[in-house]
Amino acid sequence: RGKRAFIAGVADDNGYGWAIAKALAAAGAEILVGTWVPALNIFETSLRRGKFDESRKLPDGSLMEITKVYPLDAVYDSLEDVPEHVKTNKRYAGSSKWTVKEVAETVKDDFGSIDILVHSLANGPEVTKPLLETSRSGYLAAVSASSYSYISLLQHFLPIMNPGGASISLTYIASERTIPGYGGGMSSAKAALESDTRVLAYEAGRKGKIRVNTISAGPLGSRAAKAIGFIEKMIEYSYVNAPLQKELLADEVGNAAAFLVSPLASAITGSTVYVDNGLNTMALAV
Ligand code: NAD
């Protein structure tokens, strides 16, 4: 039987989540996605109207099928955690069962189990503020949406993951080297995510024979990255300074992700794997 993947953090065809979904679909996996509730309507409408058909194309000419799109807000673990103003917000009121626990339960009811869990989401409301000017609530929101969301997803999905399965997330080198402009606690959130990758690899490995890795990706002009404000500068910096002077394609990250969750990577767990044209290795470029 083919493998089944749940990919959290797909809301258009520009980001890493979409590229990972495509690479997994090309390798024969069944694709389920989790889409942020406020973005759900436009994503489903665009899908239905064929707006993504060009980018749904797989190497064999067929179109990627998304078996089901689940509304998800990974900041909330269960219904009891959702504040009243969110419950009644009109963008949320139209959907239901979008907390992490409920999504895992619904996937279990729908399909029984999954093999692959992908976390491709992040959010930092104060990302444009220097760390020194970040508020407590902004910092905690960044860590909640970008780091704890992964713990919560794995915690709730692990019981329905088939042994031998794998999970990955996406991180950024601002966790270990200073990148002015990647603020609001997002650098801290990525540092937590990478540390958690090691600890969760141990725990999920022992508990469920599941591998856990994270990809430290180079810059991509996704929707989320554009919100940071200087993504074009980062892409140009990488082009000039990296060992490989070429554009980094989302598909290259997608392919690396497909490798990492496949049996080809059966002894790799707890790792931060760079997919960045080698930029992380440079100290001084000439
Ligand atoms: P993206 O906009 O495609 O993906 C981010 C997704 O997160 C969006 O679909 C958004 O709707 C979703 N999201 C935000 N808050 C959420 C929540 N509370 N619950 C559920 N979903 C939520 O952008 P991307 O750049 O492809 O980001 C994917 C991952 O890649 C992120 O972890 C990001 O930090 C990481 N990354 C990106 C870059 C880059 O340059 N773009 C570099 C390294 C790592």
Side-chain angles (χ1 to χ4, degrees):
R1 153 186 106 64
K3 298 208 166 145
R4 185 176 297 119
F6 182 85
I7 301 148
V10 180
D12 60 40
D13 60 348
N14 293 318
Y16 283 135
W18 177 270
I20 292 168
K22 274 180 75 175
L24 294 177
E30 176 174 23
I31 305 300
L32 314 176
V33 306
T35 301
W36 196 28
V37 186
L40 180 73
N41 233 326
I42 173 123
F43 179 63
E44 286 195 306
T45 307
S46 304
L47 253 186
R48 196 163 357 100
R49 294 196 179 148
K51 203 183 148 225
F52 301 138
D53 283 0
E54 199 47 48
S55 40
R56 280 172 63 208
K57 210 168 263 170
L58 299 176
D60 72 356
S62 68
L63 298 188
M64 167 173 69
E65 289 300 336
I66 298 176
T67 304
K68 188 165 174 186
V69 178
Y70 293 83
L72 168 70
D73 194 324
V75 157
Y76 304 110
D77 304 314
S78 66
L79 200 53
E80 299 85 74
D81 300 327
V82 184
E84 207 47 43
H85 70 92
V86 175
K87 264 182 207 158
T88 53
N89 179 308
K90 72 171 185 331
R91 290 194 297 178
Y92 282 79
S95 305
S96 60
K97 299 193 174 170
W98 39 258
T99 66
V100 176
K101 182 167 183 261
E102 292 170 296
V103 174
E105 283 167 0
T106 313
V107 171
K108 185 183 181 188
D109 290 346
D110 290 345
F111 299 99
S113 67
I114 63 167
D115 304 284
I116 296 162
L117 175 68
V118 179
H119 176 282
S120 182
L121 63 97
N123 201 8
E126 297 181 14
V127 65
T128 57
K129 282 193 194 165
L131 189 57
L132 196 52
E133 291 164 28
T134 297
S135 72
R136 184 182 299 267
S137 68
Y139 182 97
L140 293 176
V143 171
S144 173
S146 314
S147 319
Y148 189 79
S149 58
Y150 184 57
I151 298 178
S152 181
L153 275 167
L154 192 57
Q155 186 181 109
H156 290 96
F157 276 90
L158 190 62
I160 64 162
M161 288 184 76
N162 295 314
S167 178
I168 53 159
S169 65
L170 275 296
T171 186
Y172 185 49
I173 196 172
S175 58
E176 37 173 334
R177 303 272 188 276
T178 304
I179 309 235
Y182 196 78
M186 279 305 300
S187 57
S188 331
K190 292 306 193 188
L193 182 65
E194 290 170 26
S195 179
D196 296 344
T197 297
R198 294 182 281 272
V199 178
L200 294 171
Y202 167 72
E203 295 179 359
R206 293 295 176 91
K207 193 169 181 184
K209 295 191 166 63
I210 298 298
R211 294 181 299 103
V212 179
N213 293 291
T214 188
I215 289 178
S216 185
L220 172 78
S222 66
R223 190 188 168 105
K226 283 180 180 140
I228 304 170
F230 63 109
I231 186 69
E232 297 310 330
K233 224 172 104 187
M234 291 155 87
I235 291 171
E236 174 64 19
Y237 181 92
S238 177
Y239 192 91
V240 171
N241 294 296
L244 301 176
Q245 291 192 303
K246 62 175 183 62
E247 185 189 354
L248 175 68
L249 303 175
D251 287 346
E252 294 177 291
V253 170
N255 289 337
F259 159 70
L260 283 172
V261 300
S262 82
L264 293 174
S266 55
I268 304 177
T269 194
S271 291
T272 298
V273 177
Y274 298 94
V275 184
D276 66 347
N277 283 328
L279 184 63
N280 73 90
T281 64
M282 302 300 296
L284 180 74
V286 216

